[in-house]
Amino acid sequence: CSYVAWRFDDGISAEEIGSELEKFPYIVVDCSLKDIHTEKELKSLVNQIQKTLSVVRRYMWDERLVIAGMKVRVSAPQYPSVEDFLREKQPERVILLDPNAEEVFSGEVADCYIVGGIVDKVGNKAGTTEIIYRRLVENGFEVERRKILLRGDVVGVPDRINHITEIVLKAVLDGIDVERAIYEVQ
Ligand code: SAM
C-alpha cells in the first residue's frame, strides 16, 4: 500500500506506525450460513470473496480481509467463526452491514465491518443477516447494525459482498458520501 510506504519514509516511530495501521479496518465476511446455499450460490460466494480481496488490496492489504466459517482459497486470514476472530483481535467498534438494520450507514468509522457471506439467488433469504447479528449478541459481542440506503431505500444498492465492501471503504477511507460511493461502484 503506497500510503503506508510513504508513512514509513516519513521518519515516524514504530508506535506511530502502529497507530497509523490501526486506522485501517478489518472487513470480515461471515460465511456461517453456507449450508443454506446451493452449489451455484457457493461458487458465486467464492467469486465475490475473491473480488472482495481485490477491493481490499486497493485500499489496504490482504490481512485486513478475514473469512470466517468457511475455507476459501484466498490469501486472507481465515477463522472458524467471527466470534473466534473477535475474541483474538478485540476490535473496539464493530459494525454489521445489514439491509434490515434500523440505523443507516453514513460512513461511521469502526475497527471492523462484518458483511454477511450470503448470496440471494435461490429461495427467499430475506432477513438472514439478522441471524448473524442475533448469534453474535447471544454470544456476548457488542455489534452495531447499519443499512446502506440509496435515496432512502435499500432497493438500488448493489448487494454483492465486493460492492458492499467497496462502498464502505470508499466512505470510510476516501471520506466520500455513501450515495456517491454507491454510484461509483455500479
Ligand atoms: N438476504 C440477506 C438479508 O436480507 O439479510 C442479504 C444478503 S446480501 C446478498 C449479502 C450481504 O451484503 C448482507 O449480509 C449484508 O452484510 C450486505 N448488504 C447487502 N445489501 C446491504 C444493504 N443495503 N445495507 C447493508 N448491508 C447490505
Side-chain angles (χ1 to χ4, degrees), residues 90-115:
Q90 310 221 332
E92 262 179 45
R93 189 176 187 192
V94 180
I95 293 181
L96 169 69
L97 281 310
D98 182 347
N100 291 299
E102 284 183 6
E103 289 181 80
V104 179
F105 176 70
S106 48
E108 286 78 12
V109 173
D111 306 291
C112 170
Y113 298 92
I114 303 173
V115 183

PDB file of all heavy atoms in Angstrom, residues 90-115:
ATOM      1  N   GLN A  90     -10.119  -8.438  19.350  1.00  0.00           N
ATOM      2  CA  GLN A  90     -10.801  -7.490  20.234  1.00  0.00           C
ATOM      3  C   GLN A  90     -10.981  -6.098  19.631  1.00  0.00           C
ATOM      4  O   GLN A  90     -10.578  -5.099  20.262  1.00  0.00           O
ATOM      5  CB  GLN A  90     -10.050  -7.400  21.558  1.00  0.00           C
ATOM      6  CG  GLN A  90      -9.767  -8.767  22.147  1.00  0.00           C
ATOM      7  CD  GLN A  90      -9.979  -8.824  23.643  1.00  0.00           C
ATOM      8  OE1 GLN A  90      -9.835  -7.841  24.330  1.00  0.00           O
ATOM      9  NE2 GLN A  90     -10.312  -9.979  24.129  1.00  0.00           N
ATOM     10  N   PRO A  91     -11.548  -5.964  18.449  1.00  0.00           N
ATOM     11  CA  PRO A  91     -11.790  -4.626  17.890  1.00  0.00           C
ATOM     12  C   PRO A  91     -12.793  -3.873  18.746  1.00  0.00           C
ATOM     13  O   PRO A  91     -13.726  -4.472  19.278  1.00  0.00           O
ATOM     14  CB  PRO A  91     -12.365  -4.919  16.498  1.00  0.00           C
ATOM     15  CG  PRO A  91     -12.911  -6.298  16.582  1.00  0.00           C
ATOM     16  CD  PRO A  91     -12.099  -7.038  17.599  1.00  0.00           C
ATOM     17  N   GLU A  92     -12.549  -2.550  18.902  1.00  0.00           N
ATOM     18  CA  GLU A  92     -13.428  -1.771  19.792  1.00  0.00           C
ATOM     19  C   GLU A  92     -14.820  -1.587  19.207  1.00  0.00           C
ATOM     20  O   GLU A  92     -15.816  -1.892  19.830  1.00  0.00           O
ATOM     21  CB  GLU A  92     -12.804  -0.401  20.047  1.00  0.00           C
ATOM     22  CG  GLU A  92     -12.065  -0.360  21.366  1.00  0.00           C
ATOM     23  CD  GLU A  92     -11.427   0.969  21.611  1.00  0.00           C
ATOM     24  OE1 GLU A  92     -12.081   2.013  21.383  1.00  0.00           O
ATOM     25  OE2 GLU A  92     -10.252   0.959  22.027  1.00  0.00           O
ATOM     26  N   ARG A  93     -14.882  -1.072  17.988  1.00  0.00           N
ATOM     27  CA  ARG A  93     -16.194  -0.801  17.396  1.00  0.00           C
ATOM     28  C   ARG A  93     -16.420  -1.722  16.193  1.00  0.00           C
ATOM     29  O   ARG A  93     -15.614  -1.758  15.263  1.00  0.00           O
ATOM     30  CB  ARG A  93     -16.288   0.660  16.954  1.00  0.00           C
ATOM     31  CG  ARG A  93     -17.689   1.034  16.545  1.00  0.00           C
ATOM     32  CD  ARG A  93     -17.798   2.505  16.203  1.00  0.00           C
ATOM     33  NE  ARG A  93     -19.191   2.860  15.969  1.00  0.00           N
ATOM     34  CZ  ARG A  93     -19.595   3.999  15.442  1.00  0.00           C
ATOM     35  NH1 ARG A  93     -18.714   4.911  15.098  1.00  0.00           N
ATOM     36  NH2 ARG A  93     -20.874   4.233  15.257  1.00  0.00           N
ATOM     37  N   VAL A  94     -17.519  -2.464  16.262  1.00  0.00           N
ATOM     38  CA  VAL A  94     -17.827  -3.438  15.214  1.00  0.00           C
ATOM     39  C   VAL A  94     -19.174  -3.087  14.595  1.00  0.00           C
ATOM     40  O   VAL A  94     -20.163  -2.910  15.311  1.00  0.00           O
ATOM     41  CB  VAL A  94     -17.881  -4.874  15.803  1.00  0.00           C
ATOM     42  CG1 VAL A  94     -18.193  -5.884  14.703  1.00  0.00           C
ATOM     43  CG2 VAL A  94     -16.574  -5.232  16.508  1.00  0.00           C
ATOM     44  N   ILE A  95     -19.207  -2.997  13.270  1.00  0.00           N
ATOM     45  CA  ILE A  95     -20.470  -2.698  12.579  1.00  0.00           C
ATOM     46  C   ILE A  95     -20.806  -3.844  11.633  1.00  0.00           C
ATOM     47  O   ILE A  95     -19.982  -4.249  10.809  1.00  0.00           O
ATOM     48  CB  ILE A  95     -20.383  -1.366  11.796  1.00  0.00           C
ATOM     49  CG1 ILE A  95     -20.261  -0.189  12.775  1.00  0.00           C
ATOM     50  CG2 ILE A  95     -21.604  -1.193  10.881  1.00  0.00           C
ATOM     51  CD1 ILE A  95     -20.180   1.181  12.129  1.00  0.00           C
ATOM     52  N   LEU A  96     -22.021  -4.370  11.804  1.00  0.00           N
ATOM     53  CA  LEU A  96     -22.525  -5.394  10.877  1.00  0.00           C
ATOM     54  C   LEU A  96     -23.353  -4.680   9.814  1.00  0.00           C
ATOM     55  O   LEU A  96     -24.315  -3.965  10.152  1.00  0.00           O
ATOM     56  CB  LEU A  96     -23.390  -6.411  11.630  1.00  0.00           C
ATOM     57  CG  LEU A  96     -24.203  -7.384  10.777  1.00  0.00           C
ATOM     58  CD1 LEU A  96     -23.298  -8.380  10.045  1.00  0.00           C
ATOM     59  CD2 LEU A  96     -25.225  -8.142  11.628  1.00  0.00           C
ATOM     60  N   LEU A  97     -22.999  -4.858   8.549  1.00  0.00           N
ATOM     61  CA  LEU A  97     -23.802  -4.290   7.467  1.00  0.00           C
ATOM     62  C   LEU A  97     -24.994  -5.203   7.260  1.00  0.00           C
ATOM     63  O   LEU A  97     -24.827  -6.404   7.009  1.00  0.00           O
ATOM     64  CB  LEU A  97     -22.962  -4.188   6.184  1.00  0.00           C
ATOM     65  CG  LEU A  97     -21.968  -3.008   6.088  1.00  0.00           C
ATOM     66  CD1 LEU A  97     -22.647  -1.693   6.423  1.00  0.00           C
ATOM     67  CD2 LEU A  97     -20.733  -3.207   6.927  1.00  0.00           C
ATOM     68  N   ASP A  98     -26.184  -4.633   7.408  1.00  0.00           N
ATOM     69  CA  ASP A  98     -27.405  -5.441   7.369  1.00  0.00           C
ATOM     70  C   ASP A  98     -28.540  -4.620   6.740  1.00  0.00           C
ATOM     71  O   ASP A  98     -28.931  -3.579   7.289  1.00  0.00           O
ATOM     72  CB  ASP A  98     -27.772  -5.839   8.819  1.00  0.00           C
ATOM     73  CG  ASP A  98     -29.013  -6.726   8.874  1.00  0.00           C
ATOM     74  OD1 ASP A  98     -29.724  -6.846   7.863  1.00  0.00           O
ATOM     75  OD2 ASP A  98     -29.265  -7.287   9.957  1.00  0.00           O
ATOM     76  N   PRO A  99     -29.053  -5.082   5.588  1.00  0.00           N
ATOM     77  CA  PRO A  99     -30.103  -4.291   4.918  1.00  0.00           C
ATOM     78  C   PRO A  99     -31.364  -4.116   5.761  1.00  0.00           C
ATOM     79  O   PRO A  99     -32.172  -3.238   5.478  1.00  0.00           O
ATOM     80  CB  PRO A  99     -30.408  -5.100   3.640  1.00  0.00           C
ATOM     81  CG  PRO A  99     -29.828  -6.451   3.858  1.00  0.00           C
ATOM     82  CD  PRO A  99     -28.717  -6.300   4.833  1.00  0.00           C
ATOM     83  N   ASN A 100     -31.524  -4.938   6.816  1.00  0.00           N
ATOM     84  CA  ASN A 100     -32.709  -4.818   7.670  1.00  0.00           C
ATOM     85  C   ASN A 100     -32.430  -4.072   8.977  1.00  0.00           C
ATOM     86  O   ASN A 100     -33.273  -4.089   9.882  1.00  0.00           O
ATOM     87  CB  ASN A 100     -33.270  -6.207   7.983  1.00  0.00           C
ATOM     88  CG  ASN A 100     -33.857  -6.841   6.740  1.00  0.00           C
ATOM     89  OD1 ASN A 100     -34.794  -6.328   6.150  1.00  0.00           O
ATOM     90  ND2 ASN A 100     -33.258  -7.933   6.294  1.00  0.00           N
ATOM     91  N   ALA A 101     -31.287  -3.433   9.066  1.00  0.00           N
ATOM     92  CA  ALA A 101     -30.964  -2.672  10.282  1.00  0.00           C
ATOM     93  C   ALA A 101     -31.894  -1.480  10.410  1.00  0.00           C
ATOM     94  O   ALA A 101     -32.494  -1.035   9.426  1.00  0.00           O
ATOM     95  CB  ALA A 101     -29.513  -2.196  10.200  1.00  0.00           C
ATOM     96  N   GLU A 102     -32.006  -0.967  11.623  1.00  0.00           N
ATOM     97  CA  GLU A 102     -32.825   0.244  11.806  1.00  0.00           C
ATOM     98  C   GLU A 102     -32.013   1.485  11.470  1.00  0.00           C
ATOM     99  O   GLU A 102     -32.535   2.450  10.918  1.00  0.00           O
ATOM    100  CB  GLU A 102     -33.337   0.313  13.243  1.00  0.00           C
ATOM    101  CG  GLU A 102     -34.482  -0.656  13.448  1.00  0.00           C
ATOM    102  CD  GLU A 102     -35.084  -0.602  14.828  1.00  0.00           C
ATOM    103  OE1 GLU A 102     -34.710   0.273  15.634  1.00  0.00           O
ATOM    104  OE2 GLU A 102     -35.935  -1.476  15.092  1.00  0.00           O
ATOM    105  N   GLU A 103     -30.736   1.457  11.800  1.00  0.00           N
ATOM    106  CA  GLU A 103     -29.910   2.652  11.597  1.00  0.00           C
ATOM    107  C   GLU A 103     -29.215   2.634  10.236  1.00  0.00           C
ATOM    108  O   GLU A 103     -28.836   1.572   9.732  1.00  0.00           O
ATOM    109  CB  GLU A 103     -28.873   2.759  12.708  1.00  0.00           C
ATOM    110  CG  GLU A 103     -29.489   3.132  14.040  1.00  0.00           C
ATOM    111  CD  GLU A 103     -28.457   3.265  15.134  1.00  0.00           C
ATOM    112  OE1 GLU A 103     -27.800   4.307  15.210  1.00  0.00           O
ATOM    113  OE2 GLU A 103     -28.305   2.303  15.898  1.00  0.00           O
ATOM    114  N   VAL A 104     -29.047   3.832   9.706  1.00  0.00           N
ATOM    115  CA  VAL A 104     -28.471   3.982   8.365  1.00  0.00           C
ATOM    116  C   VAL A 104     -26.953   4.181   8.465  1.00  0.00           C
ATOM    117  O   VAL A 104     -26.470   4.894   9.339  1.00  0.00           O
ATOM    118  CB  VAL A 104     -29.107   5.199   7.657  1.00  0.00           C
ATOM    119  CG1 VAL A 104     -28.503   5.408   6.269  1.00  0.00           C
ATOM    120  CG2 VAL A 104     -30.615   5.021   7.567  1.00  0.00           C
ATOM    121  N   PHE A 105     -26.225   3.542   7.544  1.00  0.00           N
ATOM    122  CA  PHE A 105     -24.772   3.720   7.497  1.00  0.00           C
ATOM    123  C   PHE A 105     -24.450   5.032   6.772  1.00  0.00           C
ATOM    124  O   PHE A 105     -24.885   5.239   5.641  1.00  0.00           O
ATOM    125  CB  PHE A 105     -24.128   2.542   6.749  1.00  0.00           C
ATOM    126  CG  PHE A 105     -22.645   2.683   6.574  1.00  0.00           C
ATOM    127  CD1 PHE A 105     -21.787   2.583   7.662  1.00  0.00           C
ATOM    128  CD2 PHE A 105     -22.097   2.918   5.319  1.00  0.00           C
ATOM    129  CE1 PHE A 105     -20.414   2.711   7.511  1.00  0.00           C
ATOM    130  CE2 PHE A 105     -20.720   3.042   5.150  1.00  0.00           C
ATOM    131  CZ  PHE A 105     -19.890   2.935   6.247  1.00  0.00           C
ATOM    132  N   SER A 106     -23.703   5.896   7.454  1.00  0.00           N
ATOM    133  CA  SER A 106     -23.321   7.138   6.773  1.00  0.00           C
ATOM    134  C   SER A 106     -21.815   7.367   6.916  1.00  0.00           C
ATOM    135  O   SER A 106     -21.362   8.481   7.148  1.00  0.00           O
ATOM    136  CB  SER A 106     -24.121   8.317   7.317  1.00  0.00           C
ATOM    137  OG  SER A 106     -24.106   8.319   8.721  1.00  0.00           O
ATOM    138  N   GLY A 107     -21.073   6.268   6.807  1.00  0.00           N
ATOM    139  CA  GLY A 107     -19.612   6.372   6.818  1.00  0.00           C
ATOM    140  C   GLY A 107     -19.005   6.317   8.205  1.00  0.00           C
ATOM    141  O   GLY A 107     -17.872   6.783   8.407  1.00  0.00           O
ATOM    142  N   GLU A 108     -19.752   5.766   9.174  1.00  0.00           N
ATOM    143  CA  GLU A 108     -19.215   5.672  10.545  1.00  0.00           C
ATOM    144  C   GLU A 108     -17.906   4.879  10.553  1.00  0.00           C
ATOM    145  O   GLU A 108     -17.810   3.812   9.919  1.00  0.00           O
ATOM    146  CB  GLU A 108     -20.214   4.965  11.479  1.00  0.00           C
ATOM    147  CG  GLU A 108     -21.414   5.786  11.862  1.00  0.00           C
ATOM    148  CD  GLU A 108     -22.477   5.869  10.773  1.00  0.00           C
ATOM    149  OE1 GLU A 108     -22.384   5.098   9.796  1.00  0.00           O
ATOM    150  OE2 GLU A 108     -23.368   6.706  10.899  1.00  0.00           O
ATOM    151  N   VAL A 109     -16.940   5.413  11.281  1.00  0.00           N
ATOM    152  CA  VAL A 109     -15.640   4.745  11.366  1.00  0.00           C
ATOM    153  C   VAL A 109     -15.712   3.647  12.424  1.00  0.00           C
ATOM    154  O   VAL A 109     -16.168   3.878  13.540  1.00  0.00           O
ATOM    155  CB  VAL A 109     -14.534   5.770  11.729  1.00  0.00           C
ATOM    156  CG1 VAL A 109     -13.210   5.075  11.980  1.00  0.00           C
ATOM    157  CG2 VAL A 109     -14.401   6.799  10.608  1.00  0.00           C
ATOM    158  N   ALA A 110     -15.297   2.441  12.051  1.00  0.00           N
ATOM    159  CA  ALA A 110     -15.263   1.319  13.003  1.00  0.00           C
ATOM    160  C   ALA A 110     -13.950   0.571  12.812  1.00  0.00           C
ATOM    161  O   ALA A 110     -13.222   0.790  11.839  1.00  0.00           O
ATOM    162  CB  ALA A 110     -16.454   0.395  12.757  1.00  0.00           C
ATOM    163  N   ASP A 111     -13.641  -0.299  13.755  1.00  0.00           N
ATOM    164  CA  ASP A 111     -12.416  -1.112  13.639  1.00  0.00           C
ATOM    165  C   ASP A 111     -12.673  -2.341  12.797  1.00  0.00           C
ATOM    166  O   ASP A 111     -11.750  -2.963  12.293  1.00  0.00           O
ATOM    167  CB  ASP A 111     -11.951  -1.541  15.040  1.00  0.00           C
ATOM    168  CG  ASP A 111     -11.788  -0.333  15.931  1.00  0.00           C
ATOM    169  OD1 ASP A 111     -10.861   0.451  15.667  1.00  0.00           O
ATOM    170  OD2 ASP A 111     -12.619  -0.141  16.840  1.00  0.00           O
ATOM    171  N   CYS A 112     -13.939  -2.710  12.682  1.00  0.00           N
ATOM    172  CA  CYS A 112     -14.277  -3.948  11.985  1.00  0.00           C
ATOM    173  C   CYS A 112     -15.678  -3.843  11.385  1.00  0.00           C
ATOM    174  O   CYS A 112     -16.607  -3.414  12.063  1.00  0.00           O
ATOM    175  CB  CYS A 112     -14.209  -5.080  13.023  1.00  0.00           C
ATOM    176  SG  CYS A 112     -14.862  -6.626  12.455  1.00  0.00           S
ATOM    177  N   TYR A 113     -15.776  -4.203  10.116  1.00  0.00           N
ATOM    178  CA  TYR A 113     -17.082  -4.246   9.443  1.00  0.00           C
ATOM    179  C   TYR A 113     -17.360  -5.708   9.071  1.00  0.00           C
ATOM    180  O   TYR A 113     -16.509  -6.356   8.448  1.00  0.00           O
ATOM    181  CB  TYR A 113     -17.078  -3.391   8.171  1.00  0.00           C
ATOM    182  CG  TYR A 113     -16.815  -1.933   8.449  1.00  0.00           C
ATOM    183  CD1 TYR A 113     -15.515  -1.433   8.413  1.00  0.00           C
ATOM    184  CD2 TYR A 113     -17.853  -1.064   8.779  1.00  0.00           C
ATOM    185  CE1 TYR A 113     -15.254  -0.094   8.692  1.00  0.00           C
ATOM    186  CE2 TYR A 113     -17.602   0.279   9.060  1.00  0.00           C
ATOM    187  CZ  TYR A 113     -16.293   0.747   9.015  1.00  0.00           C
ATOM    188  OH  TYR A 113     -16.041   2.069   9.298  1.00  0.00           O
ATOM    189  N   ILE A 114     -18.534  -6.177   9.456  1.00  0.00           N
ATOM    190  CA  ILE A 114     -18.898  -7.558   9.122  1.00  0.00           C
ATOM    191  C   ILE A 114     -19.899  -7.530   7.973  1.00  0.00           C
ATOM    192  O   ILE A 114     -20.885  -6.777   8.007  1.00  0.00           O
ATOM    193  CB  ILE A 114     -19.517  -8.286  10.337  1.00  0.00           C
ATOM    194  CG1 ILE A 114     -18.542  -8.263  11.516  1.00  0.00           C
ATOM    195  CG2 ILE A 114     -19.881  -9.734   9.969  1.00  0.00           C
ATOM    196  CD1 ILE A 114     -19.126  -8.817  12.814  1.00  0.00           C
ATOM    197  N   VAL A 115     -19.629  -8.351   6.974  1.00  0.00           N
ATOM    198  CA  VAL A 115     -20.542  -8.477   5.830  1.00  0.00           C
ATOM    199  C   VAL A 115     -21.005  -9.934   5.795  1.00  0.00           C
ATOM    200  O   VAL A 115     -20.199 -10.859   5.994  1.00  0.00           O
ATOM    201  CB  VAL A 115     -19.818  -8.120   4.499  1.00  0.00           C
ATOM    202  CG1 VAL A 115     -20.795  -8.172   3.320  1.00  0.00           C
ATOM    203  CG2 VAL A 115     -19.164  -6.745   4.593  1.00  0.00           C
TER     204      VAL A 115
END
